[in-house]
Amino acid sequence: MKTILPKKSEIKRSWYLLNADGLVVGKIAAKVASILRGKHKPTFTPHIDTGDGVIIINAEKVVFTGKKLDQKKYFRYSRHLGNVKEKTAGKILEDNPVRILQNAIGGMVPRNHNMKIILKRLKIFKGPEHKHTAQSPIPLSL
């Protein structure tokens, strides 16, 4: 048996379109992180970036399970004394719903030299419109 490592020229990338209307944040993040890394492909190798791109629309219509809208808190810290700011998930969902999905998916991608490259192929939009029609994305369902 021979192990095959794909070269950059051999990697075929495709784009997927996910409608997040009514879907749970954690399930979206797990599936999208797997696609961004390329774990769904037979040529997956952990240290080589073989993943595909994902476009997420309707980010403002995602759902949290349980009481997470009121109880889950996101923290920001500016590295100055006493400057820790916190917001609940419900407040962030009103202000900037894209940030919720970015944090969830970014937390499921490994923190190595490929992290920034992988997350550049993630495009999230609030509404049903997106500007990446040239990539001819394949519809993705969960």
Side-chain angles (χ1 to χ4, degrees):
M1 190 164 164
K2 186 177 179 183
T3 303
I4 299 170
L5 294 176
K7 297 182 179 81
K8 279 191 178 183
S9 61
E10 298 171 353
I11 297 172
K12 305 277 190 275
R13 297 199 193 276
S14 57
W15 283 82
Y16 293 95
L17 177 68
L18 176 66
N19 187 356
D21 187 9
L23 297 178
V24 179
V25 173
K27 290 183 181 183
I28 293 171
K31 182 69 173 176
V32 170
S34 176
I35 291 172
L36 287 172
R37 285 193 67 196
K39 292 185 93 171
H40 63 291
K41 294 182 175 182
T43 58
F44 171 69
T45 310
H47 66 280
I48 297 174
D49 179 26
T50 60
D52 294 330
V54 178
I55 302 165
I56 301 175
I57 57 173
N58 290 326
E60 76 276 358
K61 297 180 182 177
V62 294
V63 178
F64 282 97
T65 58
K67 298 179 182 178
K68 290 184 188 133
L69 270 179
D70 302 323
Q71 292 178 352
K72 184 171 179 64
K73 294 183 181 175
Y74 290 88
F75 295 95
R76 289 184 307 145
Y77 181 56
S78 68
R79 299 187 184 204
H80 291 285
L81 288 174
N83 204 5
V84 176
K85 298 183 192 243
E86 67 178 44
K87 282 187 180 180
T88 61
K91 181 68 176 159
I92 292 179
L93 196 59
E94 290 174 7
D95 297 343
N96 189 6
V98 172
R99 194 170 128 203
I100 291 216
L101 286 173
Q102 283 175 341
N103 285 347
I105 295 167
M108 293 188 182
V109 174
R111 287 140 193 88
N112 58 17
H113 61 281
N114 287 335
M115 182 179 182
K116 286 183 182 178
I117 299 166
I118 289 171
L119 290 178
K120 281 184 183 178
R121 286 193 308 272
L122 173 67
K123 309 296 181 189
I124 304 173
F125 297 95
K126 287 183 185 179
E129 302 289 324
H130 66 89
K131 57 185 178 182
H132 298 284
T133 54
Q135 280 74 23
S136 61
I138 302 165
L140 179 68
S141 62
L142 291 183

